[in-house]
Amino acid sequence: MATKGGKGKGREKERMKSLVRSIDVNMAEVREKYMPGVSIDTVIFSFHDDELKVLLIRYGDIPFYCLPGGFIEKTEELDDAALRILKERSGIGNIYLEQFYTTGAVNRSQGHMMGEWFQELAKDRDVKNWFDQRFISVCYYALIDEANVELLSEEFVTEMKWVDVKKLPKLYLDHALIVKKAIERLQIDLDQKLVGFNLLNETFTMGELQKLYEAVYQKAFDRTNFQRKMLSMNILERLEKKYTGKAYKAPYLYRFISKV
Amino acid sequence: MATKGGKGKGREKERMKSLVRSIDVNMAEVREKYMPGVSIDTVIFSFHDDELKVLLIRYGDIPFYCLPGGFIEKTEELDDAALRILKERSGIGNIYLEQFYTTGAVNRSQGHMMGEWFQELAKDRDVKNWFDQRFISVCYYALIDEANVELLSEEFVTEMKWVDVKKLPKLYLDHALIVKKAIERLQIDLDQKLVGFNLLNETFTMGELQKLYEAVYQKAFDRTNFQRKMLSMNILERLEKKYTGKAYKAPYLYRFISKV
DNA sequence: GTATCATTGTGTCATAATGACTCAATGAAG
DNA sequence: CTTCATTGAGTCATTATGACACAATGATAC
């Protein structure tokens, strides 16, 4: 996906603090600033064209995709770090975000030459030792509305795109496993915590809501029973009808009412 | 609870590898061996006298209790580290063990003088810097049968006991929060994964099973409906009656059949 | 205007699950 | 033999669920 320009100096400044920028500063500063051996990865879901998608990025010429991730400042809360990283990567904040898994495979950093790749990107600065560390990664997932997001890619990010979870390319290390775990967690949370808020527009039709559920659970539901169940939960407010211009009955629009 | 003696040289050797022993070896070796800034804490549940209990330990003269915890070797998988630490603390292995949360509050190590306490225990070795690190702790929970466990306390462990989750004393840092999160997770898992296996004897009565559920969910269930639900799941095998010597009808004994 | 058609909203029906009960059976003590 | 706490099983009303049927609707084709 093509990189879109930032909107102002504020945003540019934020970008300066990011993971990838960090390899451009003095390594001593990085070691001073960040927790060693611990990282954060985020699985950012969106829902578009009836597909559940995750945000993937690629650095430099590295031939595989990564989940947006970063490091934890020594004086920063875990949740805050995840929010900051998410903000830096996708440009948005104020989002539903949940920790769901911590991965720490010993070989996470082996066989992938991440150190070499970033060393190449960073040129004469010594970053290899940093990236060759074994990282224990605390994983969060987030849901965003693809339509409301302006993707801001960073200096060393050569690609950034939404990918259907059913068509994942080769991913960095165990990131495919992380996505799998995130979907499992999303399935549990979708019903219980009504996290669908962020994956749909403010208003939506019952059919759209059902397609979201079907994308997340990767199975079909009976249309009428689905509608009955959703309505019986008393979390939807029925609005006016939506005239689509299509040759069939106009569906009602709904909105979540339990924002509280 | 009084410390019970180990059974042999093998067990003694295992104890040598533990967290607390580690402060007795050269700090350079500790820094070489373990991941910096990352720890593991375990919430070990047992069920006895109708109470859900957690295992707490106390080091030296430190005036508050801790969850059994330890550090992760640089070449060790996270799950393996948790198993090892659990083995070292409680003496048992081969147990249901699940990661459920990672905590990393910045002030986890502040205001508690953990560095000072351990420095005192370790005498002339420099351990303060290690224990004054900010630790991000990956938390696991485990279920064990209190009756089958021989508690082995270690050199610097002055106390080790089972405590009713409803009567927790002052705990180290955010360990009370960790216990709370563990119970929440246990409530979710108990039904779905039938983890009750390890909290009861091989055979048990329906009343005992109900009391376990009531202790975990901290609410009462209707006796007859509970029995109906359990029996309808087809996971229990009815055995002979249990003659308790009490002045009432003898209940049946049951056993889980879905060990597969 | 009228017919057509995909889609939507509502209703039916059988079955399963659940919560609140009743009631007989039982095992030991007095 | 009576008493009594406890246990196992059953009843009944209510709610939830899965599989359908069917009418309503909004645009298009004629």
Side-chain angles (χ1 to χ4, degrees), chain A residues 203-219:
Chain A
T203 64
F204 46 88
T205 67
M206 194 59 74
E208 289 168 350
L209 183 61
Q210 181 172 353
K211 277 175 178 161
L212 166 61
Y213 269 74
E214 290 180 337
V216 170
Y217 290 97
Q218 297 178 25
K219 59 176 271 194

Side-chain angles (χ1 to χ4, degrees), chain B residues 222 224-225 228-229 241 243 245-250:
Chain B
D222 178 275
T224 61
N225 291 335
R228 179 179 55 189
K229 184 163 173 60
K241 289 193 173 188
Y243 292 89
K246 298 282 180 60
Y248 51 79
K249 188 175 178 176

Side-chain angles (χ1 to χ4, degrees), chain B residues 103-157:
Chain B
T103 179
V106 171
N107 63 356
R108 266 177 62 84
S109 299
Q110 293 175 346
H112 279 280
M113 308 182 298
M114 216 57 183
E116 277 84 355
W117 286 112
F118 276 104
Q119 186 61 70
E120 199 172 313
L121 284 176
K123 301 202 170 69
D124 58 339
R125 308 190 190 267
D126 175 30
V127 303
K128 184 170 179 307
N129 284 349
W130 177 265
F131 282 99
D132 274 345
Q133 285 181 88
R134 173 194 180 188
F135 281 104
I136 286 175
S137 177
V138 185
C139 302
Y140 285 77
Y141 83 86
L143 308 175
I144 68 174
D145 183 351
E146 190 173 328
N148 292 340
V149 181
E150 183 187 18
L151 290 180
L152 301 169
S153 80
E154 299 160 304
E155 186 174 344
F156 291 94
V157 175

Side-chain angles (χ1 to χ4, degrees), chain B:
Chain B
M1 180 167 292
T3 303
K4 299 175 186 173
K7 273 190 177 171
K9 286 293 174 189
R11 231 168 198 167
E12 288 297 326
K13 269 191 182 173
E14 281 170 358
R15 291 169 57 185
M16 294 294 287
K17 300 197 307 185
S18 74
L19 153 69
V20 186
R21 293 293 298 170
S22 72
I23 68 171
D24 198 32
V25 300
N26 190 297
M27 260 304 116
E29 290 176 26
V30 171
R31 294 193 180 281
E32 180 66 26
K33 184 173 185 181
Y34 295 104
M35 299 281 297
V38 192
S39 59
I40 283 180
D41 284 307
T42 61
V43 181
I44 307 181
F45 289 109
S46 74
F47 180 67
H48 205 242
D49 298 332
D50 300 346
E51 290 172 348
L52 185 68
K53 300 178 179 184
V54 292
L55 186 61
L56 299 180
I57 62 184
R58 215 162 55 72
Y59 300 104
D61 297 324
I62 300 177
F64 39 78
Y65 291 85
C66 304
L67 293 169
F71 304 115
I72 304 156
E73 295 175 11
K74 286 184 176 173
T75 59
E76 186 180 41
E77 299 295 329
L78 271 187
D79 291 354
D80 293 341
L83 284 169
R84 172 180 56 80
I85 290 166
L86 172 59
K87 179 115 186 170
E88 289 170 2
R89 298 294 166 274
S90 66
I92 60 164
N94 209 8
I95 202 69
Y96 182 91
L97 198 145
E98 179 134 336
Q99 181 198 308
F100 66 96
Y101 183 62
T102 296
T103 179
V106 171
N107 63 356
R108 266 177 62 84
S109 299
Q110 293 175 346
H112 279 280
M113 308 182 298
M114 216 57 183
E116 277 84 355
W117 286 112
F118 276 104
Q119 186 61 70
E120 199 172 313
L121 284 176
K123 301 202 170 69
D124 58 339
R125 308 190 190 267
D126 175 30
V127 303
K128 184 170 179 307
N129 284 349
W130 177 265
F131 282 99
D132 274 345
Q133 285 181 88
R134 173 194 180 188
F135 281 104
I136 286 175
S137 177
V138 185
C139 302
Y140 285 77
Y141 83 86
L143 308 175
I144 68 174
D145 183 351
E146 190 173 328
N148 292 340
V149 181
E150 183 187 18
L151 290 180
L152 301 169
S153 80
E154 299 160 304
E155 186 174 344
F156 291 94
V157 175
T158 45
E159 204 180 348
M160 193 168 186
K161 64 176 180 181
W162 296 105
V163 181
D164 184 347
V165 295
K166 289 193 281 195
K167 298 168 190 167
L168 291 181
K170 174 165 175 54
L171 295 186
Y172 179 56
L173 297 172
D174 55 359
H175 283 195
L177 171 69
I178 294 173
V179 172
K180 182 164 168 288
K181 291 247 181 197
I183 293 174
E184 289 172 7
R185 182 61 168 267
L186 175 58
Q187 290 178 353
I188 294 171
D189 289 352
L190 182 59
D191 245 10
Q192 314 241 330
K193 304 186 180 176
L194 305 172
V195 294
F197 280 119
N198 300 306
L199 283 182
L200 291 171
N201 294 327
E202 172 78 12
T203 63
F204 46 87
T205 67
M206 193 60 73
E208 289 167 350
L209 183 61
Q210 182 172 352
K211 276 174 179 163
L212 166 61
Y213 268 74
E214 290 180 339
V216 169
Y217 290 98
Q218 296 179 24
K219 60 176 273 198
F221 296 98
D222 178 275
R223 182 182 59 85
T224 61
N225 291 335
F226 179 83
Q227 169 148 307
R228 179 179 55 189
K229 184 163 173 60
M230 286 299 136
L231 292 180
S232 73
M233 294 170 75
N234 291 319
I235 54 166
L236 297 180
E237 177 187 5
R238 178 176 284 182
L239 308 171
E240 75 280 8
K241 289 193 173 188
K242 180 186 181 186
Y243 292 89
T244 59
K246 298 282 180 60
Y248 51 79
K249 188 175 178 176
Y252 286 106
L253 285 172
Y254 294 90
R255 174 167 54 198
F256 286 110
I257 57 177
S258 59
K259 282 258 180 179
V260 183

Side-chain angles (χ1 to χ4, degrees), chain A residues 76-257:
Chain A
E76 186 179 41
E77 300 294 329
L78 271 186
D79 291 354
D80 293 341
L83 284 168
R84 171 180 57 79
I85 290 166
L86 171 60
K87 180 115 186 172
E88 288 170 2
R89 298 293 166 273
S90 68
I92 60 164
N94 209 9
I95 203 69
Y96 182 91
L97 197 144
E98 178 134 337
Q99 181 197 309
F100 66 96
Y101 183 61
T102 296
T103 181
V106 171
N107 63 356
R108 268 179 62 84
S109 298
Q110 293 175 346
H112 278 279
M113 308 182 300
M114 215 56 183
E116 277 84 353
W117 286 113
F118 276 105
Q119 186 61 68
E120 198 173 314
L121 284 175
K123 302 202 172 71
D124 59 338
R125 310 193 190 262
D126 174 30
V127 302
K128 184 170 181 305
N129 285 350
W130 177 263
F131 283 98
D132 274 347
Q133 284 181 90
R134 173 193 180 189
F135 281 105
I136 286 173
S137 177
V138 185
C139 302
Y140 285 77
Y141 82 87
L143 308 176
I144 69 175
D145 183 351
E146 190 172 327
N148 292 339
V149 180
E150 183 186 17
L151 290 180
L152 301 171
S153 78
E154 300 160 304
E155 187 172 346
F156 291 93
V157 175
T158 46
E159 202 179 350
M160 192 169 186
K161 64 175 180 180
W162 295 105
V163 181
D164 184 346
V165 294
K166 289 193 281 194
K167 300 168 189 166
L168 292 181
K170 175 165 174 54
L171 295 186
Y172 178 55
L173 297 173
D174 54 358
H175 283 196
L177 172 68
I178 294 174
V179 172
K180 183 164 168 286
K181 291 248 180 196
I183 293 174
E184 288 172 9
R185 181 62 167 265
L186 175 59
Q187 290 179 353
I188 294 171
D189 289 352
L190 183 59
D191 244 12
Q192 314 243 329
K193 303 185 179 178
L194 305 172
V195 294
F197 280 117
N198 300 305
L199 283 182
L200 291 170
N201 294 327
E202 171 76 14
T203 64
F204 46 88
T205 67
M206 194 59 74
E208 289 168 350
L209 183 61
Q210 181 172 353
K211 277 175 178 161
L212 166 61
Y213 269 74
E214 290 180 337
V216 170
Y217 290 97
Q218 297 178 25
K219 59 176 271 194
F221 295 98
D222 179 276
R223 180 182 61 83
T224 61
N225 292 336
F226 179 83
Q227 169 149 305
R228 180 179 53 188
K229 184 161 173 59
M230 285 300 136
L231 292 180
S232 73
M233 293 171 73
N234 292 318
I235 54 165
L236 298 180
E237 178 187 6
R238 177 176 285 183
L239 308 170
E240 75 280 9
K241 290 191 174 189
K242 180 188 182 186
Y243 292 88
T244 59
K246 298 281 180 59
Y248 51 79
K249 187 174 178 178
Y252 286 106
L253 284 174
Y254 293 89
R255 174 166 55 197
F256 286 110
I257 57 178

